Amino acid sequence: MNPTFHPRSPAQAQAQTDVAMLGASMGDDSSRAARATAAVLDRERLVALSAPAMEDLHRQFDSPTITVLLADSAGGVLRAIGGSGRSGDSVLASSSTCAGSDAAPLTRRSDDHACTSTPVPRPAVAPGQLGIAVPILPPAGALLGFIDADAAPLEWLGHANALLHTTASLIEHRLIETEPRGFLLLRFHRYATVLGTPLEALVLFDADGAVLLANHAARTQLAPCAHAPGGAAACFASQWCGIVGYAALGLRQPFVLRDRRGTDFSAQASLCRPAP
């Protein structure tokens, strides 16, 4: 016996379509809300973890005219230490340019308080505020920088730039080490004595060997494979299961890690959580 076919009326068909669209819309709204909540939590974690390093940097600058700033990837100020920074100001007019480079000079005009990534004049610095910004975990991370209302000489900026990069490295370390999604934390460098310092390369992997986060040193040494779809397999000749095995043993002695170009590194690995 053939089943009886009951065609839907146009009104029934439209009602079913409307229900499906409503369900999809509610799902999209829920997904957007979850992403917004995660972004807020990430921002709060960034501000909290960077606070001690920012305060130490401000003390090292030891100048009442300098403001240390932490900005999000869009250039909005998240935290300011010093007299000239105000929460909510835009610290960079072109954050994408600064986030893509190791360091970018800033100038802040006293007339409208706008900051731009224009080059610092040579040999003398024009009157007004100036500073430097460096990225933290680009491209979706943040910017750490400072503004000096006293327009310090270029010779001093070299020292300030070194302090800024070291502080950004410390903040990157804290963000990577405390990332809750991580499975395996890998430290490596060509020299074993550098392990455990701000100069070491640091990569956080998930259980499948995909890269979750990598600091500046790791991105420099592993580029362009640091964020390749292959993850650890694309970066290292050493087998992923072998790296996990070293991490599971909890050895303090560094092991030899070889990348795809044949370079040997001294490495240490640790498990952040048990394998699923």
Side-chain angles (χ1 to χ4, degrees):
M1 177 181 293
N2 293 328
T4 302
F5 176 68
H6 299 284
R8 293 179 300 168
S9 68
Q12 289 174 322
Q14 184 60 48
Q16 186 171 353
T17 301
D18 290 345
V19 170
M21 292 179 64
L22 177 60
S25 175
M26 292 176 64
D28 289 343
D29 290 343
S30 176
S31 178
R32 281 195 293 268
R35 288 196 299 269
T37 300
V40 170
L41 293 176
D42 286 344
R43 190 161 55 246
E44 290 177 349
R45 191 167 73 93
L46 168 65
V47 173
L49 292 177
S50 64
M54 289 180 64
E55 290 168 359
D56 186 59
L57 177 63
H58 190 260
R59 282 194 297 269
Q60 291 184 73
F61 282 151
D62 191 25
S63 172
T65 65
I66 289 181
T67 301
V68 175
L69 298 163
L70 178 70
D72 59 24
S73 57
V77 176
L78 300 176
R79 189 165 191 264
I81 301 177
S84 62
R86 295 194 305 272
S87 179
D89 286 348
S90 175
V91 68
L92 293 176
S94 177
S95 61
S96 60
T97 300
C98 294
S101 59
D102 291 346
L106 311 177
T107 59
R108 182 170 182 167
R109 299 192 303 271
S110 57
D111 53 347
D112 59 3
H113 303 289
C115 298
T116 63
S117 55
T118 54
V120 177
R122 296 176 180 274
V125 178
Q129 296 184 343
L130 60 89
I132 303 173
V134 298
I136 299 173
L137 296 179
L143 292 167
L144 178 69
F146 73 89
I147 292 175
D148 187 1
D150 197 26
L154 289 177
E155 291 77 11
W156 180 84
L157 286 180
H159 174 66
N161 184 34
L163 291 176
L164 201 60
H165 274 84
T166 300
T167 304
S169 296
L170 292 172
I171 295 174
E172 284 189 333
H173 271 61
R174 292 295 296 137
L175 289 170
I176 295 173
E177 291 168 345
T178 60
E179 169 56 52
R181 300 172 299 161
F183 167 68
L184 184 145
L185 185 65
L186 180 68
R187 307 171 187 272
F188 64 96
H189 198 275
R190 295 187 66 178
Y191 302 103
T193 54
V194 176
L195 296 178
T197 75
L199 299 179
E200 68 181 354
L202 198 63
V203 185
L204 187 68
F205 296 94
D206 66 12
D208 296 323
V211 176
L212 295 176
L213 295 172
N215 71 349
H216 174 74
R219 293 191 302 270
T220 299
Q221 297 189 51
L222 298 180
C225 74
H227 295 286
C235 294
F236 302 113
S238 304
Q239 295 293 317
W240 171 243
C241 60
I243 298 174
V244 174
Y246 277 113
L249 291 174
L251 301 177
R252 299 180 64 87
Q253 185 70 20
F255 61 92
V256 177
L257 180 72
R258 177 167 296 176
D259 69 7
R260 288 293 181 185
R261 295 166 294 190
T263 303
D264 287 341
F265 299 96
S266 292
Q268 293 174 323
S270 57
L271 295 180
C272 306
R273 57 183 174 83

